[in-house]
Amino acid sequence: MLWFRSKRIGIDLGTSNTYIYIPKKGTILRESSVVAKNKQTNEVIAIGNEAKEMMGRTPKGVATVCPLKRGVIADYETTASMMDHYLKLSRSISRDLMRKPRAVICVPSGSTSIEKRAVLDAAKHAGIHKVCTLDSIMAAALGANLPVWEASGVMMMDIGGGTTETAVFSLSGIVVTESIKVAGQEMDKAIMRHIQKAYHLVIGVSTAESIKIEIGAAFLPTQQEREVEMAVCGRDLWTGLPKTIHITAGEVEQALFDPLSLIIDSVRKTLEKTPPELSADVFERGIVVAGGGALLKNFNTMLSQAIGIPVSIAENPLDCTVLGTARALKQKQQPVISS
Ligand SMILES: Nc1ncnc2c1ncn2[C@@H]1O[C@H](COP(=O)(O)OP(=O)(O)OP(=O)(O)O)[C@@H](O)[C@H]1O
Ligand SMILES: [Mg+2]
């Protein structure tokens, strides 16, 4: 009951992005999970979207760090500084948070107790009075308004930056779950590999991500769509000089084949492990996909054709998980949350 009365905050601490939600105010913070640091002194130079803009463009003594790898904290100190900064920003938006706030933070399902402890410690370091963790796939399902409490199978998929999680829920619990470390960032790497192999051109992660967002697709039905081009600038491997090439959407579709095949396999594995009664429900209702990866053009058509089940994209794929923390925060009794 005490939990219900205190100042509350929902946090999605993702590999690519961090989102913060405050009841009545909505999602008040959407920032990249990136920090720019001085390599020698470790002094923080920029955090969030500003640091992301610096990726691949930093001078000698500065490094950009993504402190979360594949959904879990890889660099505790940097994560703590980032969380500290985001909490300060949130306090400037909602002064209520000055007084002993309590938070629900999402963690990938299957996180070890050490990984969860690191998240809880980083939050406490940032001044959060009491913290609970919530499985991020459960949060995504709550955020997508799926009826996880019903006695029937409901399937959700979240394609983030570092991980793709798939789960089937029934009676407010996760019945089966599958998590792979292939998501948006692996798609970017596949595009980088293709461009290096085909054109001997080295490009940065940010360029690869913008190619994926601009002309990338899981499936292109017409030749006309495959021929759409984009100019890409990088460093020629042989001459070491800058060079511009033109890449087609069809090439990007091909380059994304391998990571997307692994994502399809993980859905198949989840379905194979699902009890038959619940499979029948999933077959009827279909799968809902959230996370930034769900925004890849025609992802739902491709997945639906590959597994023969209807696939829909959640209304706010990027905000879905943090919206789920908000819905969990509203519950007086919180059966899905652990501390
Ligand atoms: N329009 C788009 N098309 C394809 N991919 C996109 C698009 N917009 C964003 N993305 C990708 O979505 C990913 C980020 O999604 P999201 O914010 O859900 O990840 P995250 O929650 O930080 O990561 P994780 O859940 O793995 O810890 C990035 O890899 C980004 O490139
Ligand atoms: Mg996520």
Side-chain angles (χ1 to χ4, degrees):
M1 190 54 94
L2 264 176
W3 169 279
F4 184 59
R5 283 202 203 116
S6 57
K7 302 299 162 210
R8 292 153 296 138
I9 181 166
I11 303 174
D12 173 12
L13 187 62
T15 313
S16 298
N17 298 301
T18 299
Y19 296 86
I20 294 187
Y21 182 100
I22 298 179
K24 294 192 186 135
K25 287 205 161 75
T27 310
I28 53 144
L29 184 131
R30 290 185 180 86
E31 289 277 345
S32 302
S33 304
V34 184
V35 177
K37 282 180 143 185
N38 181 312
K39 279 189 202 165
Q40 238 128 53
T41 60
N42 244 0
E43 183 201 348
V44 173
I45 296 165
I47 300 182
N49 298 343
E50 195 188 340
K52 190 177 177 189
E53 302 246 307
M54 294 165 78
M55 275 175 99
R57 298 188 174 93
T58 49
K60 241 184 181 180
V62 179
T64 48
V65 183
C66 298
L68 288 116
K69 297 267 180 280
R70 294 162 173 171
V72 296
I73 295 180
D75 175 344
Y76 176 79
E77 227 177 87
T78 312
T79 308
S81 313
M82 189 173 81
M83 195 100 117
D84 217 38
H85 176 73
Y86 290 155
L87 260 295
K88 274 192 191 118
L89 280 180
S90 305
R91 284 190 190 103
S92 67
I93 295 167
S94 175
R95 298 192 66 79
D96 286 355
L97 295 175
M98 293 286 188
R99 284 187 300 120
K100 296 185 174 173
R102 296 169 182 238
V104 172
I105 305 188
C106 300
V107 290
S109 42
S111 296
T112 63
S113 52
I114 294 171
E115 288 162 351
K116 280 188 193 171
R117 175 58 44 205
V119 171
L120 298 174
D121 288 349
K124 289 204 170 147
H125 179 269
I128 295 176
H129 182 60
K130 189 161 192 286
V131 202
C132 287
T133 60
L134 170 65
D135 271 348
S136 51
I137 192 69
M138 174 60 91
L142 294 173
N145 260 329
L146 296 188
V148 292
W149 55 89
E150 284 182 5
S152 68
V154 171
M155 189 162 180
M156 180 82 205
M157 186 177 196
D158 180 354
I159 309 172
T163 53
T164 294
E165 289 192 67
T166 314
V168 174
F169 306 90
S170 180
L171 296 167
S172 298
I174 296 175
V175 182
V176 277
T177 177
E178 189 68 31
S179 174
I180 56 164
K181 312 223 175 287
V182 177
Q185 291 176 351
E186 283 300 317
M187 295 184 208
D188 303 340
K189 283 189 200 158
I191 294 173
M192 289 167 84
R193 279 195 299 270
H194 166 76
I195 292 181
Q196 179 154 345
K197 204 169 159 207
Y199 300 97
H200 306 288
L201 192 78
V202 185
I203 59 164
V205 180
S206 305
T207 306
E209 187 182 27
S210 45
I211 296 171
K212 173 184 71 181
I213 293 175
E214 230 169 276
I215 60 165
F219 163 70
L220 290 171
T222 66
Q223 186 58 23
Q224 203 184 352
E225 283 174 272
R226 272 180 231 124
E227 281 168 7
V228 170
E229 277 189 355
M230 180 176 169
V232 177
C233 191
R235 180 169 48 83
D236 190 305
L237 258 184
W238 288 335
T239 65
L241 298 173
K243 188 170 96 175
T244 301
I245 54 131
H246 288 84
I247 183 168
T248 65
E251 280 178 74
V252 182
E253 182 196 13
Q254 283 293 313
L256 295 179
F257 181 83
D258 286 348
L260 290 176
S261 301
L262 294 170
I263 290 174
I264 296 169
D265 282 352
S266 78
V267 180
R268 288 212 178 97
K269 277 188 197 144
T270 314
L271 288 168
E272 278 165 21
K273 290 192 287 183
T274 305
E277 297 290 345
L278 300 182
S279 294
D281 301 331
V282 170
F283 192 77
E284 210 171 285
R285 286 173 190 257
I287 306 174
V288 178
V289 190
L295 292 167
L296 183 69
K297 192 173 176 192
N298 294 340
F299 179 80
N300 51 341
T301 319
M302 183 279 297
L303 184 59
S304 174
Q305 283 181 3
I307 56 169
I309 293 177
V311 178
S312 59
I313 306 299
E315 204 174 311
N316 292 303
L318 282 162
D319 282 27
C320 222
T321 305
V322 85
L323 283 176
T325 61
R327 300 215 162 106
L329 283 165
K330 265 191 202 155
Q331 296 176 9
K332 288 188 188 181
Q333 295 160 341
Q334 300 183 21
V336 289
I337 291 178
S338 63
S339 56

